[in-house]
C-alpha cells in the first residue's frame, strides 16, 4: 500500500519537475531531453553510477562533459568540502585565504614549464575570459587566432573564440579580431598572424568539435611559431585537463609548454564549480603589476571550491588516474572498435586519447537514436556540441572494466536497433 503511495508521489514529482522546466526553465530543453530518452529526474549519484527518481541506474559515460573524472561524490573531495563548510565556506576577501594560496602553489607544481601564477574563478568560460584579457595586456595587442570547431564557452569573449557559427551569429557583433583557421593546421596559423596578433588559443584535443586529435607536430609547431613571433600560446585544457587524456595535461603528450593554461570542469573534483587560468610570472607582472585589482571575481578563489580542487588534484595524483585513463581508454576503444567492425558502414571512426573518446557516425540521425537506445539500456552518453555526428564517451577515470564491458555491449545493441529503425533512410 505504502509503495503505491510512494510511487504516486514520485511520479508526481517527476511530472512537476518537467512541467516547471516547461514553464520556468527552458521549454525547448525539456522537449529535447525527453526526446533524447532522459525523461526522469536525477536523484543520487555515486562513482560512475547515476540513479534517477524511479530507481533506474545508469552508467555515466558522459561524466558531466569531463566534470566527473573522479566519479560522483568522491569521498575525499566531499570530506574536504564538509570540513571547509564548517569553518569558512566563502572568503571575507579581506584576510589572506589559505586554501587559495595552497591551491595556487599546487597548480604551479603540477602544470608544465614556467606556469606559476593562478587566477581562480568559477567556470570554464570565465577562465577563458581572463586568459584573453591577460594576453591582451601582456602583448599590448588585440587579436587572436583560434580553431574552427573549437569550443571555449559561451560568454561574449570566449564565444568570440569558439568556432561554430550557430552559437555566435545571433550575438554579433562579437569581440573583433578573432580569426578561425582549421584545427591541426599550424601553417594556417602562421599565415594569419599579423602585427596585431596577441595569442593563439586552442584546445590540445578538440572536445566539443568532435574529439579531434591533432597531428603530432601541430602543438610543437604552434609553440615554435608563437615563440618566434612573440605571441602567446593559450592551451584551453578545461575539458582535457587533470588526467582525462592519459596525462595530467593533454599538452604533455607533445611536451608543449603553453604561456597560459585554462582549467575548470574536473578541477572541482565533481563536487564544486571552479575554474582557473595559470600563467607565467611575466604575464602576471603585466596584468597585475600596476594594479593588483585589474582582474577580480567575488566568488573566485572561495575556500570551499579551493579545498575541493586540492582534494581532486591529490586523488588524481595519489591514484595515478592519468595512467588509469590511458589504460582504460585503450580497453574501451578496443571494445568500441569491435562494434565498428560489425557496422562498418554506420560507424565511420572510433578515436580518442585516454578516456576522451569519440565515435563518429556516418549520419547524425543514427547517433541521436543510439544515445536514446543507450539511455533506455542504462548508459548515459551524449553527442559533441559542435559536431552532432560524434557521440562521446567520457566516463569517470575510476570506471571499472566490467562497467566498460556493459557500456560497449549496450552500445552494440543500441547501434543495431538504431540501424533497424533508419533502414531505408541510410
Ligand atoms: C566546457 C568547456 C569550456 C567552457 O566551460 P564552462 O564551465 O561551461 O563555461 C571551455 N573550454 C572547453 C575546452 C570546454 O570543454
Amino acid at each position: 500500500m505504502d509503495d503505491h503511495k510512494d510511487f504516486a508521489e514520485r511520479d508526481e514529482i517527476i511530472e512537476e519537475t518537467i512541467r516547471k522546466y516547461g514553464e520556468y526553465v527552458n521549454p525547448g530543453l525539456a522537449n529535447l531531453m525527453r526526446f533524447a530518452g532522459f525523461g526522469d529526474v536525477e536523484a543520487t549519484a555515486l562513482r560512475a553510477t547515476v540513479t534517477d527518481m524511479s530507481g533506474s541506474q545508469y552508467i555515466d559515460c558522459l561524466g558531466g562533459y569531463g566534470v566527473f573524472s573522479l566519479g560522483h561524490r568522491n569521498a575525499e573531495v566531499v570530506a574536504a568540502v564538509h570540513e571547509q563548510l564548517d569553518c569558512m565556506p566563502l572568503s571575507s576577501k579581506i584576510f589572506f585565504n589559505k586554501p587559495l594560496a595552497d591551491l595556487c602553489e599546487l597548480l604551479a607544481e603540477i602544470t608544465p614549464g614556467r606556469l606559476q601564477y593562478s587566477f581562480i574563478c568559477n567556470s570554464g568560460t570565465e577562465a577563458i575570459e581572463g586568459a584573453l584579457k591577460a594576453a591582451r595586456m601582456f602583448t599590448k595587442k588585440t587579436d587572436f587566432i583560434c580553431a574552427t570547431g573549437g569550443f571555449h564557452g559561451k560568454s561574449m569573449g570566449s564565444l568570440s573564440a569558439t568556432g561554430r557559427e550557430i552559437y555566435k551569429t545571433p550575438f554579433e557583433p562579437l569581440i573583433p579580431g578573432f580569426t578561425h583557421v582549421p584545427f591541426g593546421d599550424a601553417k594556417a596559423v602562421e599565415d594569419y598572424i599579423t602585427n596585431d596578433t596577441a595569442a593563439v588559443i586552442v584546445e590540445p584535443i578538440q572536445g566539443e568539435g568532435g574529439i579531434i586529435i591533432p597531428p603530432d607536430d601541430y602543438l610543437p609547431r604552434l609553440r615554435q611559431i608563437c615563440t618566434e613571433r612573440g605571441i602567446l600560446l593559450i592551451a584551453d585544457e578545461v575539458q582535457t585537463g587533470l588526467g582525462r587524456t592519459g596525462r595530467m595535461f593533454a599538452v604533455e603528450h607533445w611536451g608543449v609548454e603553453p604561456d597560459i593554461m585554462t582549467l575548470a570542469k574536473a578541477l572541482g573534483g565533481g563536487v564544486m564549480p571552479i575554474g582557473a587560468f595559470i600563467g607565467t610570472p611575466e604575464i602576471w607582472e603585466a596584468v597585475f603589476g600596476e594594479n593588483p585589482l585589474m582582474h577580480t571575481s567575488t566568488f573566485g578563489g572561495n575556500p570551499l571550491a579551493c579545498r575541493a580542487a586540492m582534494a581532486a588534484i591529490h586523488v588524481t595524483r595519489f591514484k595515478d588516474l592519468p595512467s588509469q585513463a590511458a589504460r582504460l581508454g585503450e580497453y574501451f576503444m578496443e571494445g568500441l572498435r569491435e562494434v565498428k567492425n560489425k557496422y562498418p558502414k554506420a560507424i565511420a571512426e572510433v578515436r580518442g586519447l585516454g578516456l576522451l573518446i569519440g565515435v563518429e557516425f556516418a549520419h547524425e540521425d543514427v547517433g541521436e537514436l543510439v544515445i536514446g537506445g543507450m539511455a533506455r539500456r542504462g548508459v548515459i552518453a551524449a553527442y559533441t556540441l559542435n559536431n552532432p555526428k560524434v557521440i562521446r564517451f567520457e566516463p569517470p577515470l575510476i570506471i571499472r572494466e566490467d562497467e566498460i564491458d556493459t557500456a560497449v555491449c549496450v552500445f552494440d545493441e543500441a547501434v543495431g536497433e538504431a540501424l533497424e529503425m533508419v533502414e531505408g533512410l541510410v
Side-chain angles (χ1 to χ4, degrees), residues 13 36 52 62 75 130-131 135 157 166 200 221 244 270 298 340 344 360 378 415:
I13 293 172
D52 68 19
L62 172 57
I166 63 159
V200 175
R221 276 293 293 143
R244 170 63 47 192
T298 302
K340 175 190 180 300
E360 179 156 348
V415 174

Side-chain angles (χ1 to χ4, degrees), residues 65 123-126 128 151-154 203 208 236-239 264-265:
Y65 303 90
S123 67
T125 201
E126 278 176 76
I128 299 292
F151 184 82
H152 301 288
K154 287 182 179 170
E203 299 156 86
E208 302 310 323
D236 181 355
E237 295 246 14
V238 166
Q239 191 156 167
K265 296 202 166 107

